[in-house]
Amino acid sequence: MTRDASADRVEVADRPGETASRDGVRQITLPVTGMSCAACARTIERTLQGVSGVEAAGVNFATGLATVVFDPSVVKVPGLVEAVREAGYDVLPVRPSEGEAGEGGDVAEPAEPQAIADAQQAALEAEYRGLRTRLIVAAGCAVPVVAIAMAHLGFPGVNWIQLALVLPVVVYSGARFYRGALASLRHRNADMNTLIAVGTGAAFLYSTAVTVAPGFVMHGAAGLHGPPPVYYEVSATIITLVLLGRLLEARARTRTSDAIRRLIRLQPRTARVIRNGSEADVPIADVARGDTIIVRPGERIPVDGEVTEGVSAVDESMLTGESLPVDKTPGMIVFGGTMNQTGSFRFRATRIGRETALQQIIRLVQEAQARRAPIARLADAISGYFTPAVISVAVLTFVIWYDVLPPETRLATALVNFVAVMIIACPCAMGLATPTAILVGTGRGAEKGVLIRGGEILERAGRISTVVLDKTGTITQGRPEVTDVVPQPGSSWPAETLLQLAASAERVSEHPLGEAIVRAASQRNLALSEVSSFEAIPGEGLAAAVGRRRVLLGNARLMNRWHVDVHALGGEAERLTSTGRTVMFVAVGPGPDARTVTPAALAGPSLIGIIGLADTPRLESAAAIRRFKHMGLEVMVITGDNEPTARAIVAQVAPNGEVDRVIAGVLPDRKASEIAALQQAGKVVAMVGDGINDAPALAQADVGIAVGSGTDVAIEAADITLMRNDLGGVADAILLSRRTLGIIKQNLFWAFVYNVLGIPVAAGLLYPFTGWLLNPMVAADAMSFSSVSVLTNSLRLKRA
């Protein structure tokens, strides 16, 4: 089935370039604080969507980012920030990009990813410190209260002592839960804070009433003998345990964002720029396009540019995942964030700021982490109804227990079970199940040069059944290479001399085949001769004067026109052609004094050999195709080349029939129709191409994968972009997607099972059969453990 473009717009971070590029519409990313669960994210999302001028809004709980598409003529950025704050949350003040000023507020857009990451990191560290302080206070006060309760101490004033100890726990340590619950109530919502606040609040208020007016409680509970029980330890312990869970969760969430922070730290903060004839270290934001920048050994390259002077080797593993360094000479491109290794060089800045490859990758990963998978929407929908349902179950539990038990125990038992249901049902694990796995999975992919556009793509990639490979530039190198040098039988021209002469004739040519011949001679360290005259003959080849010889180099038509006998090598030429080679004949004749090459001047040219050229397969292609088959995937090859050439290439990379089907001689529009036909047959199709010529097929496929297509068009065009020219990355992407989808399913399964099993137990369903009731403190501990276990399970992807 074809992806629906309109559906992609629902998630506002899907195609930010598309929405942001429309006239009068902007897209902004706001780092939000104060969220405690997925329900908080939905509250902010609905609030922003209700603001006039907002076209779409998406909030990701795991990343803490709200992405908003809005019309700045209707609503300004401060208005969006105010809407978030009115909902009971806050927006971090972020330094804007150079030249972007805020409009009356402390948040402006666009902000650099570094600024957002720094602000979020500072906020997370502050939150961690705050949680730790509140936990210390809560634990310090809760321990003596629990000791009193467990020892059943009943000395005079014991309840007042417990009240004094628990008051700081409720008023200070647990204040965030009550504030969150009130904010949700104002917006007619219910979330995790609601469950905690109602549960602990009920236990605390009841216990306070017993302490302040015990007679009233005893009067309301007929048949109660002795002082009524209090449950201060329930409130204190639950708040302490939930804070402990939040503290562990905050620590784990810092680890889920490690990948994006590592990417951001790759870019240096300063650059050594030549200005007014002298070197100066300037902030990276002050680098201008066209500046000349000096990079010394061991330094990171600050921005993208073109080498103008010097030679070095650069570690580009952050882009490609490939550990071997890449030699850089004048005229070659270098990328910001990569590490210079051996030599010093100068380069001219061509792309700065948000244009650099590193910043595009960071932006892509951030957007991918903000996009939810369809499986996450199911969890969101369930969570939206879950809290009201839990409150209803808790109230029903209280009513039933209060109604069926004897007067002397009904109030206490009903209250304990009510609190237990409220606490154990907190849907935090459910809200974390999907976004944390996507966060870690996309980050892990980025570290290995596999850029995945988000949760929806991860889910689709995990279900791929058929991989369709473009031939040219995907399976093959994408450029011709010399494969065969065959001298004329019985001639005095050895293969190396034949290649040397042909390369000398081609050295001034700009034809790709000529460049391949020159490149082959250079790789063999063959010295080339000077060319005194040169004539390109369109559609046939060339004629040139090399030293004291006249040289013809071209196809059979050129040889026929010059009456060169090719019969001796005709069979070999046919054999090479049948295997997908392009054959070039080489003929030589005398004439050292001629300045112009003409048929008359070139008397009696004779054939000295042939050169075979082909777009050769990449070294990794055969191994990658074998991996596809081992993964149970159907493999197909599609190309615009002729069928003999296509099958010749396939025979080299899949000698044992690993490719199930070859489709040759197709134009780009037919490639898309072939993909559609496979989808109609029920296959989930991945199209692998270069991201430009194969754009229609990439768009039609369930998952479009661009292999080694640079850093511009491919990043925007493909669902998955591989930063290295290796088909093995396609297998890596699919395996990572399968693993991530498996982790998400595990997380959701255990989160749902935990709640489905836990709520009936907390309500007392097992009591008539076993006499078991769930202590609210145990419920709080289990709830915290479930959230931490989901995060820990997701973090296993870091080792994928």
Side-chain angles (χ1 to χ4, degrees):
M1 58 183 178
T2 305
R3 296 199 311 275
D4 183 359
S6 62
D8 283 353
R9 297 266 180 159
V10 175
E11 295 294 337
V12 298
D14 264 13
R15 302 281 185 182
E18 294 178 9
T19 27
S21 64
R22 290 170 23 222
D23 292 340
V25 175
R26 287 183 62 198
Q27 179 169 293
I28 184 174
T29 300
L30 300 174
V32 179
T33 62
M35 292 190 291
S36 59
C37 64
C40 299
R42 289 193 302 276
T43 298
I44 299 170
E45 194 171 280
R46 285 195 294 267
T47 300
L48 288 170
Q49 289 170 347
V51 175
S52 179
V54 172
E55 292 195 359
V59 181
N60 186 279
F61 170 50
T63 62
L65 296 176
T67 309
V68 189
V69 177
F70 67 102
D71 184 349
S73 66
V74 179
V75 61
K76 305 296 184 185
V77 173
L80 301 175
V81 174
E82 186 59 32
V84 174
R85 288 172 176 163
E86 287 179 359
Y89 306 91
D90 202 1
V91 177
L92 295 173
V94 177
R95 174 182 57 81
S97 300
E98 188 71 18
E100 296 284 348
E103 300 172 2
D106 55 359
V107 179
E109 179 71 15
E112 297 291 350
Q114 178 71 56
I116 293 178
D118 288 347
Q120 286 188 308
Q121 182 66 16
L124 192 58
E125 290 173 356
E127 179 187 12
Y128 184 84
R129 290 193 299 269
L131 283 170
R132 186 175 56 191
T133 301
R134 292 173 188 273
L135 177 61
I136 291 172
V137 172
C141 295
V143 167
V145 173
V146 172
I148 290 172
M150 293 181 64
H152 302 288
L153 300 179
F155 57 85
V158 64
N159 287 355
W160 287 100
I161 292 174
Q162 292 184 80
L163 175 60
L165 287 169
V166 173
L167 200 60
V169 179
V170 173
V171 174
Y172 172 68
S173 298
R176 59 188 295 150
F177 306 130
Y178 301 106
R179 284 197 302 267
L182 288 174
S184 295
L185 183 63
R186 286 200 305 269
H187 291 85
R188 297 184 178 88
N189 294 322
D191 58 15
M192 179 180 174
N193 291 317
T194 306
L195 300 180
I196 297 172
V198 173
T200 59
F204 177 74
L205 291 176
Y206 166 78
S207 301
T208 302
V210 168
T211 302
V212 175
F216 174 78
V217 176
M218 292 179 68
H219 175 72
L224 182 65
H225 303 288
V230 294
Y231 295 94
Y232 287 119
E233 77 280 4
V234 172
S235 296
T237 307
I238 286 173
I239 289 174
T240 301
L241 290 173
V242 172
L243 284 172
L244 176 61
R246 291 281 179 88
L247 192 72
L248 295 174
E249 182 182 315
R251 176 177 291 177
R253 286 176 67 185
T254 61
R255 292 181 61 198
T256 63
S257 300
D258 281 348
I260 191 69
R261 282 198 295 274
R262 278 197 293 267
L263 284 171
I264 290 172
R265 285 198 295 266
L266 288 175
Q267 184 171 52
R269 293 185 177 270
T270 62
R272 188 173 294 106
V273 180
I274 298 178
R275 288 183 178 169
N276 300 322
S278 60
E279 299 180 15
D281 287 336
V282 302
I284 197 71
D286 294 339
V287 175
R289 193 179 290 104
D291 276 346
T292 297
I293 300 171
I294 299 175
V295 182
R296 296 194 174 100
E299 294 180 343
R300 287 200 179 273
I301 298 168
V303 296
D304 295 2
E306 180 181 341
V307 178
T308 58
E309 183 181 336
V311 176
S312 185
V314 176
D315 178 1
E316 294 186 345
S317 58
M318 53 77 63
L319 278 177
T320 64
E322 176 59 53
S323 60
L324 294 177
V326 179
D327 292 333
K328 297 294 181 180
T329 57
M332 299 186 71
I333 302 299
V334 292
F335 300 99
T338 56
M339 176 68 77
N340 183 35
Q341 291 191 331
T342 56
S344 177
F345 64 90
R346 299 185 181 193
F347 73 96
R348 178 175 54 84
T350 57
R351 294 192 297 186
I352 60 175
R354 299 158 73 87
E355 303 171 346
T356 64
L358 177 61
Q359 291 296 329
Q360 290 184 60
I361 292 171
I362 291 170
R363 186 203 61 180
L364 179 65
V365 175
Q366 287 177 329
E367 291 162 1
Q369 293 176 344
R371 291 176 60 192
R372 290 174 297 190
I375 196 171
R377 300 188 187 110
L378 172 64
D380 287 347
I382 293 174
S383 298
Y385 298 101
F386 187 76
T387 301
V390 167
I391 294 175
S392 300
V393 171
V395 171
L396 183 63
T397 298
F398 181 89
V399 170
I400 291 175
W401 281 104
Y402 191 85
D403 186 59
V404 301
L405 290 179
E408 62 272 16
T409 60
R410 63 186 182 186
L411 182 60
T413 304
L415 180 62
V416 167
N417 290 341
F418 169 84
V419 173
V421 171
M422 296 292 290
I423 297 304
I424 203 167
C426 289
C428 188
M430 201 181 303
L432 289 170
T434 298
T436 52
I438 292 173
L439 199 67
V440 179
T442 53
R444 178 60 174 168
E447 290 177 348
K448 296 300 180 182
V450 179
L451 305 182
I452 303 172
R453 294 196 72 92
E456 183 180 0
I457 307 305
L458 268 171
E459 183 169 341
R460 285 206 301 263
R463 297 194 173 104
I464 288 170
S465 61
T466 302
V467 176
V468 180
L469 306 172
D470 176 52
K471 181 183 74 70
T472 305
T474 302
I475 295 176
T476 66
Q477 299 284 353
R479 66 179 187 181
E481 299 287 346
V482 172
T483 58
D484 304 89
V485 180
V486 183
Q488 171 87 330
S491 75
S492 59
W493 293 85
E496 284 202 352
T497 308
L498 173 61
L499 179 62
Q500 182 182 35
L501 184 65
S504 298
E506 291 279 13
R507 66 184 306 177
V508 296
S509 171
E510 296 180 353
H511 194 282
L513 295 178
E515 292 176 353
I517 292 173
V518 173
R519 188 165 55 247
S522 175
Q523 291 168 353
R524 293 166 173 79
N525 297 316
L526 302 179
L528 303 186
S529 304
E530 292 294 329
V531 177
S532 56
S533 64
F534 176 89
E535 179 187 4
I537 305 171
E540 296 183 6
L542 63 85
V546 180
R548 301 176 62 85
R549 296 182 178 90
R550 307 293 186 235
V551 179
L552 290 177
L553 182 62
N555 56 27
R557 288 196 303 273
L558 178 68
M559 297 297 111
N560 289 334
R561 189 156 72 91
W562 289 77
H563 308 292
V564 176
D565 183 9
V566 298
H567 179 75
L569 287 174
E572 183 66 12
E574 288 181 8
R575 185 190 68 80
L576 293 177
T577 302
S578 68
T579 58
R581 266 67 163 174
T582 297
V583 174
M584 297 185 71
F585 296 89
V586 184
V588 172
D593 298 325
R595 306 302 299 174
T596 304
V597 181
T598 65
L602 186 55
S606 59
L607 186 69
I608 64 171
I610 58 175
I611 296 176
L613 301 99
D615 183 7
T616 57
R618 299 185 187 278
L619 296 176
E620 310 85 0
S621 295
I625 291 173
R626 287 196 298 271
R627 286 183 67 190
F628 295 150
K629 297 305 293 183
H630 291 157
M631 293 163 61
L633 298 169
E634 180 183 20
V635 183
M636 300 173 60
V637 172
I638 191 167
T639 179
D641 212 338
N642 61 72
E643 186 160 342
T645 299
R647 292 198 175 277
I649 292 294
V650 168
Q652 295 178 57
V653 297
N656 299 317
E658 292 90 348
V659 172
D660 299 283
R661 184 182 172 194
V662 177
I663 306 172
V666 295
L667 297 175
D669 56 344
R670 193 186 151 198
K671 286 185 181 181
S673 64
E674 291 286 351
I675 298 295
L678 292 170
Q679 292 170 325
Q680 290 170 4
K683 303 179 188 297
V684 180
V685 183
M687 173 64 196
V688 186
D690 64 8
I692 302 172
N693 297 331
D694 300 311
L698 288 170
Q700 176 67 41
D702 295 286
V703 179
I705 304 177
V707 181
S709 302
T711 55
D712 296 319
V713 179
I715 285 181
E716 296 299 331
D719 296 314
I720 298 176
T721 300
L722 307 181
M723 299 307 294
R724 62 185 189 272
N725 292 320
D726 182 358
L727 272 181
V730 177
D732 293 340
I734 296 173
L735 286 172
L736 178 62
S737 299
R738 288 180 177 180
R739 182 80 181 274
T740 304
L741 191 58
I743 291 290
I744 290 173
K745 289 178 178 178
Q746 291 171 17
N747 288 348
L748 289 174
F749 174 78
W750 288 113
F752 281 122
V753 166
Y754 164 80
N755 285 302
V756 168
L757 297 181
I759 291 174
V761 173
L765 186 64
L766 299 180
Y767 182 76
F769 311 103
T770 64
W772 294 348
L773 288 175
L774 187 65
N775 189 305
M777 292 180 287
V778 176
D781 196 16
M783 183 273 294
S784 299
F785 174 77
S786 70
S787 298
V788 174
S789 65
V790 163
L791 283 163
T792 304
N793 193 40
S794 297
L795 287 169
R796 292 195 299 122
L797 286 168
K798 292 174 74 70
R799 300 189 299 273

